[in-house]
Amino acid sequence: APSSDIGDRSVFHYGTLRSGQALKSLGNLIVVGDVNPGAELTAVGNIIVMGILRGIVHAGCNGDKTAVVCASKMMPTQIRIADIITRPPDEELSSSWVPEMAYIKDSNIYIDNYLAKNIK
C-alpha cells in the first residue's frame, strides 16, 4: 500500500529507545528521542527519528520502496528499506548534526542531507 494510506496507523514515541527495545508500526514511525545501538525500529511506512539514530531500522517492511528513513543524526548499525539493506561506512563521517534522509534509487540506498533533497 502507498505510504499515504497509512497515516492513521502511525506510531508516535517520545523518549529514548535502549538496546533490546523494539518499536513497530503499521504506518509511519516517529521517534522524538535517540535510538541507541541494539534498538530496532520497523514500519510499513516511513521512519523519522528526531534525535540520534544508532540502532537498526527497517522502513517499508511490506515492500514499499518509496519509504524513507530520516534522522537528525544518522549513525545506524543497519538501514533496510523494503528488501534492500545497507550498513554505514566504518569511519565517522562527521561529528556535526546534519539531518539526513535515506531512500532507494536505482535499487540502492542513498543517504543525503534532507534539507537539500527534493522530496517526492
Side-chain angles (χ1 to χ4, degrees), residues 14-116:
Y14 185 84
T16 296
L17 283 160
R18 307 262 175 231
S19 178
Q21 290 184 295
L23 273 183
K24 296 186 178 180
S25 174
L26 293 173
N28 300 307
L29 179 53
I30 301 95
V31 175
V32 178
D34 295 336
V35 179
N36 286 336
E40 290 192 43
L41 305 179
T42 306
V44 172
N46 305 302
I47 296 175
I48 312 297
V49 177
M50 302 302 292
I52 304 173
L53 170 54
R54 290 193 189 101
I56 297 170
V57 290
H58 186 186
C61 66
N62 287 0
D64 182 1
K65 290 181 189 276
T66 67
V68 298
V69 175
C70 295
S72 299
K73 186 167 176 68
M74 187 85 74
M75 300 173 62
T77 48
Q78 184 187 85
I79 294 179
R80 185 169 173 185
I81 301 176
D83 58 348
I84 304 195
I85 301 172
T86 190
R87 294 181 62 86
D90 289 333
E91 73 275 4
E92 175 68 23
L93 293 177
S94 165
S95 60
S96 64
W97 284 65
V98 179
E100 289 179 309
M101 179 169 78
Y103 59 95
I104 292 179
K105 180 179 174 190
D106 303 325
S107 298
N108 289 303
I109 293 177
Y110 291 89
I111 299 174
D112 281 340
N113 176 329
Y114 75 57
L115 300 175

